[in-house]
Amino acid sequence: MPPTTAALPNSPEFTVTELSSALKRTVEDAYGHVRVRGEISGFRGPHSSGHCYFALKDEGAKIEAVIWKGVHGRMRFKPQEGLEVIATGKLTTYPGSSKYQIVIEAIEPAGIGALMALMEERKRKLGAEGLFDEARKQLLPYLPEVIGVVTSPTGAVIRDILHRLQDRFPRRVLVWPVKVQGDGSAEQIAAAIHGFNALPEGGSIPRPDLLIVARGGGSLEDLWSFNEEIVVRAAADSMIPLISAVGHETDITLIDFAADKRAPTPTAAAEMAVPVRAELFVEVGQLGHRAMLCFQRGQERRRSELRAATRALPSAAALLAIPRQRLDGAAAALPRALRANSHAHHRRFATACAGLTLKVLRAQVAHATQRLAVNGERLKHCARAGLRHRRDRFAALDARFKASKLANVQAQRKALARDRERTQRLAERARRALLIALQRQQARVASCGQLLGALSYRGVLARGFALVRDAQGLAVHAAAAIDPGARLSLEFADGRIGATADGESAAAPRSKPAAKPATAKPASTTTAKRVSKSVDQGSLF
């Protein structure tokens, strides 16, 4: 027996509590005061008790950390997710779960963690491209008919969203199941957003009026898929209004900046998506009641105004009194005005008659006759000059027409001569080309005929072989395929003959087979392989 085994009964026995307490004292004595540099991971703010629980990590390890409520309240620098910090405290153990942790007494920033630095750099890059501009963001529909949700189908997020929608205003929900963390999750989320946008209007699957990209809480590493550039660009390119509901209220991802609206939680996203149905009913009822009251008040006000206007209007007699008086005055003055007008016109007529004597009329007639004669002579001269001008112009045009007609005829004759010569040349070239093509085709036909003759099975038959066919006219490939007494057709080079199969020859070969059948049997097999598809070759043309 080994000495270690023999010494076990003499070893002291520890209870679990005693062993955990001993380990706790050992760790606290050895590492009573340490400074640790690492990146904060899994920080969710103070617990309901006021304590803070998170982890410090680097490239190769991870250690749990805790900040008690009193210490956290005195700290000037508060811990944040993803920050690289230098924590001062002491190591201890937690017997309840057999793990060690650091109790932080002071904390100071050591620089932004690698993931946070990458996130900030990517945020600056995408922001410079304008993906986060407010002008790109769309307004959310007030009451969408169909809501598309991109999330994990097995988590509590989809149940929270469906439950909240059912409470507020039931709507049709389409769920695109995706991975929300791990390898390939970013590609699936981006593909889901593009897939919803690619649905046609009026198709078998309705196109959503609103999209919700949702995920529960987690560390920065768990939510990193929503910081990937492919997801941010897909959210920015979405033509459907999109709500980002990733993590808790303190979690910030890049998709929150590219989305049209950010919700602190998935439940809040459902509340943003639809209004409360009961409140809408109440509001619509109130608005209808208010509209009816406004209509009644308006009608009553118009009745009062009409009554007031009616009382303010004067009577018909008062309105017609002045016009009637003016009409009476005009009727009284009308006879005097008619007499005065007649006298005035008579004076003007008398004055005009005094100037119209016989001598004046004769002078005016003579002057008009002279002007008429002068104008007649001028008209004759103008007509003769215009006629001569037109005659000269027509003569010049006739000469130009004849000259152009002769030149055109000569040009057409030259063109016809050139075309005739060109046609003759082309006809000669076509004739030569046709002869050459015919010669080539004849040579090709002759070559194909020779090749056909060389490949035809009839050439084989001419060398002394025979082709065996059954009663249906199909080639026979083996002797075992022939039944005793079957009718056969033997084709030779000079014709065909009928034959009947012998039962003994089908079962076993004869002792002294004839020379001709022995020669024909392998020929039939060989020939059958060559003509398995078509027996009669024929001519290619």
Side-chain angles (χ1 to χ4, degrees):
M1 182 179 293
T4 56
T5 306
L8 285 178
N10 299 326
S11 299
E13 295 180 354
F14 292 96
T15 64
V16 176
T17 303
E18 292 175 348
L19 183 58
S20 299
S21 301
L23 291 174
K24 179 180 179 67
R25 288 193 300 271
T26 302
V27 172
E28 291 179 352
D29 293 341
Y31 301 94
H33 187 80
V34 294
R35 285 170 58 86
V36 181
R37 179 167 182 162
E39 180 180 336
I40 297 177
S41 177
F43 182 76
R44 291 293 172 269
H47 194 261
S48 59
S49 61
H51 310 314
C52 298
Y53 300 97
F54 53 95
L56 294 176
K57 67 175 185 178
D58 57 12
E59 294 81 359
K62 179 179 179 181
I63 182 174
E64 298 296 329
V66 59
I67 302 177
W68 303 127
K69 177 180 180 181
V71 177
H72 182 265
R74 294 193 302 269
M75 285 183 174
R76 293 190 305 172
F77 174 75
K78 304 297 183 181
Q80 298 180 13
E81 176 70 17
L83 291 182
E84 187 176 1
V85 298
I86 299 176
T88 303
K90 62 179 181 179
L91 286 182
T92 183
T93 62
Y94 181 65
S97 60
S98 299
K99 66 179 182 181
Y100 67 94
Q101 61 186 6
I102 179 173
V103 179
I104 298 177
E105 299 174 352
I107 193 170
E108 58 186 29
I112 301 177
L115 291 179
M116 292 296 294
L118 178 60
M119 179 178 173
E120 290 297 328
E121 180 182 359
R122 189 171 293 170
K123 179 181 177 182
R124 288 192 297 270
K125 173 188 173 184
L126 299 178
E129 296 180 13
L131 299 184
F132 303 153
D133 292 345
E134 290 296 329
R136 296 174 57 94
K137 299 185 182 299
Q138 309 176 69
L139 296 177
L140 302 183
Y142 181 71
L143 187 60
E145 291 292 334
V146 182
I147 300 176
V149 180
V150 179
T151 187
S152 173
T154 59
V157 172
I158 185 62
R159 292 194 294 271
D160 293 342
I161 292 176
L162 295 177
H163 179 71
R164 197 58 178 165
L165 291 176
Q166 187 66 26
D167 291 342
R168 291 176 66 85
F169 205 119
R171 296 281 87 184
R172 185 174 182 180
V173 178
L174 297 179
V175 180
W176 195 300
V178 296
K179 293 172 57 179
V180 293
Q181 71 180 64
D183 296 336
S185 58
E187 289 75 10
Q188 291 187 15
I189 296 169
I193 297 175
H194 290 307
F196 273 129
N197 281 268
L199 291 176
E201 293 284 352
S204 58
I205 300 177
R207 190 170 188 262
D209 302 318
L210 180 67
L211 294 183
I212 298 177
V213 179
R215 188 204 187 280
S219 63
L220 182 61
E221 295 85 348
D222 297 336
L223 303 179
W224 189 252
S225 299
F226 299 91
N227 293 323
E228 295 292 347
E229 187 172 345
I230 184 174
V231 176
V232 178
R233 293 188 180 278
D237 295 338
S238 175
M239 300 303 296
I240 303 175
L242 187 143
I243 299 177
S244 171
V246 179
H248 299 298
E249 188 171 1
T250 57
D251 296 323
I252 300 296
T253 57
L254 294 183
I255 193 176
D256 297 334
F257 300 98
D260 299 307
K261 197 75 174 178
R262 176 186 179 267
T265 61
T267 305
E271 294 176 356
M272 291 180 181
V274 294
V276 180
R277 187 175 183 179
E279 294 179 357
L280 284 181
F281 286 154
V282 173
E283 185 177 357
V284 169
Q286 293 176 353
L287 291 176
H289 183 65
R290 291 175 59 188
M292 182 58 65
L293 293 178
C294 291
F295 175 75
Q296 293 175 356
R297 285 196 298 269
Q299 292 295 100
E300 188 63 31
R301 185 173 60 253
R302 292 183 182 90
R303 291 192 188 96
S304 302
E305 292 175 354
L306 180 60
R307 296 190 191 98
T310 303
R311 288 193 297 269
L313 287 175
S315 63
L319 289 174
L320 296 177
I322 295 176
R324 186 181 294 113
Q325 186 177 0
R326 291 175 59 190
L327 178 62
D328 294 340
L334 181 60
R336 294 192 303 271
L338 288 176
R339 287 193 295 271
N341 190 23
S342 299
H343 289 305
H345 283 82
H346 187 269
R347 285 194 299 271
R348 290 179 61 189
F349 179 73
T351 303
C353 290
L356 293 177
T357 60
L358 183 60
K359 184 176 181 180
V360 174
L361 291 176
R362 288 178 179 175
Q364 291 180 353
V365 170
H367 180 67
T369 303
Q370 183 179 2
R371 289 182 60 189
L372 181 62
V374 173
N375 290 334
E377 290 296 330
R378 293 177 63 186
L379 182 62
K380 290 180 181 178
H381 289 299
C382 290
R384 293 192 188 97
L387 184 61
R388 287 194 301 270
H389 177 70
R390 287 181 174 82
R391 189 181 292 112
D392 295 341
R393 185 178 179 186
F394 286 149
L397 290 175
D398 183 60
R400 290 175 60 187
F401 177 72
K402 290 180 180 179
S404 63
K405 182 178 180 182
L406 181 60
N408 189 19
V409 170
Q410 293 177 356
Q412 292 295 329
R413 288 176 180 174
K414 292 181 181 179
L416 290 174
R418 288 196 301 269
D419 293 341
R420 188 181 298 108
E421 182 179 358
R422 182 180 180 186
T423 304
Q424 292 175 356
R425 290 198 303 269
L426 293 176
E428 183 64 23
R429 290 176 61 186
R431 186 181 63 80
R432 291 197 300 269
L434 181 60
L435 291 176
I436 294 173
L438 289 175
Q439 292 174 0
R440 291 179 179 174
Q441 293 296 331
Q442 290 174 356
R444 185 176 179 183
V445 170
S447 176
C448 292
Q450 294 176 0
L451 180 61
L452 180 62
L455 298 178
S456 177
Y457 75 98
R458 298 186 183 278
V460 179
L461 298 181
R463 293 200 297 272
F465 294 91
L467 177 61
V468 181
R469 293 189 178 90
D470 57 10
Q472 286 77 22
L474 301 177
V476 180
H477 299 275
I482 303 175
D483 298 329
R487 293 293 298 172
L488 301 176
S489 174
L490 303 180
E491 181 180 356
F492 298 93
D494 55 350
R496 298 183 180 182
I497 62 173
T500 302
D502 188 0
E504 296 179 358
S505 62
R510 296 179 182 179
S511 60
K512 293 182 181 181
K516 189 171 183 179
T519 306
K521 188 173 183 180
S524 64
T525 305
T526 306
T527 308
K529 293 181 180 179
R530 294 181 179 179
V531 295
S532 59
K533 293 184 179 179
S534 177
V535 176
D536 191 3
Q537 294 288 340
S539 175
L540 291 176
F541 305 97

